[in-house]
């Protein structure tokens, strides 16, 4: 069963490389990957949200989610699971950005993007969360497109991001309730 899943992931990545990668799309995918490096776009969005009274709680929840995502995804899970990057394993797959040196699972870019996007979905009207969700989805796909993550890494980043958003909402709401 695991062999079949691994083969399916390889097939998806090789399909993307063979049939979707193109000169017009590559700069877009690199851009989305870059703006989510270290959570940059989400930090900026969090600062903007924090700057206005009506969205301040959302800003705090975004910062909480970013910190939790860093700890859970990048410091704990990547090192415990230690999954090798796909470009090091899949014959014929090439990375079209500088090869990351950390482990593959889960996708940190995807985790941070979806944790912040899910916070915005939970707390703001659609005019705010639709663009955030688009950025998160394109960022997640960019990690596959660029050849640096397996589909399972990205799926895990989305799922973990959802739970981090729930936890962030709970923590911030509890702190505000108790005036911490």
């Amino acid at each position: 069963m695991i062999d079949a899943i691994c083969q399916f992931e390889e097939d998806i990545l090789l399909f993307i490389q063979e049939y979707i990668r193109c000169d017009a799309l590559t700069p877009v995918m690199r851009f989305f990957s870059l703006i989510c490096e270290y959570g940059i776009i989400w930090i900026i969005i969090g600062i903007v949200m924090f700057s206005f009274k009506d969205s301040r709680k959302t800003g705090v929840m975004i910062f909480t989610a970013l910190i939790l995502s860093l700890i859970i995804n990048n410091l704990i899970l990547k090192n415990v699971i230690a999954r090798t990057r796909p470009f090091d394993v899949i014959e014929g797959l090439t990375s079209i950005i500088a090869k990351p040196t950390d482990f593959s699972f889960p996708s940190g870019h995807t985790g941070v993007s979806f944790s912040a996007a899910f916070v915005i979905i939970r707390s703001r009207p659609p005019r705010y969360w639709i663009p955030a969700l688009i950025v998160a989805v394109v960022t997640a796909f960019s990690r596959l497109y660029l050849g640096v993550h397996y589909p399972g890494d990205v799926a895990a980043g989305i799922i973990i991001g959802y739970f981090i958003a729930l936890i962030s909402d709970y923590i911030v709401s509890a702190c505000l309730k108790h005036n911490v």
Side-chain angles (χ1 to χ4, degrees):
M1 178 70 167
I2 291 179
D3 289 341
I5 293 169
C6 291
Q7 185 60 54
F8 183 64
E9 287 189 304
E10 288 182 21
D11 292 345
I12 290 170
L13 292 174
L14 291 170
F15 178 87
I16 290 169
Q17 177 175 282
E18 175 104 11
Y19 297 106
I20 299 176
R21 276 189 191 171
C22 64
D23 291 340
L25 199 52
T26 296
V28 174
M29 294 296 115
R30 284 184 172 149
F31 173 76
F32 276 89
S33 185
L34 180 65
I35 64 170
C36 290
E37 188 77 22
Y38 307 111
I40 293 170
I41 190 69
W42 304 110
I43 292 169
I44 292 168
I45 291 169
I47 290 169
V48 170
M49 294 277 187
F50 186 78
S51 299
F52 298 97
K53 188 174 183 175
D54 72 320
S55 61
R56 188 161 291 142
K57 180 180 177 185
T58 302
V60 174
M61 288 189 322
I62 289 171
F63 293 132
T64 304
L66 297 178
I67 292 166
L68 289 173
S69 185
L70 171 69
I71 293 167
I72 293 167
N73 291 325
N74 293 70
L75 299 179
I76 298 172
L77 291 176
K78 278 187 185 278
N79 293 305
V80 169
I81 295 168
R83 187 177 195 189
T84 305
R85 294 278 179 168
F87 54 76
D88 285 332
V89 176
I90 301 171
E91 189 174 321
L93 182 68
T94 58
S95 170
I96 54 176
I97 60 171
K99 293 180 177 181
T101 56
D102 60 346
F103 294 111
S104 190
F105 184 92
S107 169
H109 282 72
T110 302
V112 77
S113 294
F114 273 90
S115 66
F118 283 133
V119 160
I120 296 168
I121 288 168
R122 292 178 55 75
S123 63
R124 308 303 303 160
R127 73 175 184 266
Y128 294 98
W129 65 255
I130 290 172
L133 185 59
I134 290 169
V135 170
V137 168
V138 175
T139 299
F141 180 73
S142 78
R143 307 309 285 165
L144 303 174
Y145 181 94
L146 297 169
V148 295
H149 279 290
Y150 293 96
D153 302 343
V154 170
I158 294 167
I159 294 165
I160 294 166
Y162 175 75
F163 286 105
I164 286 173
L166 293 178
I167 294 165
S168 299
D169 188 0
Y170 175 79
I171 290 170
V172 173
S173 295
C175 287
L176 291 174
K177 184 177 178 181
H178 294 90
N179 295 318
V180 174

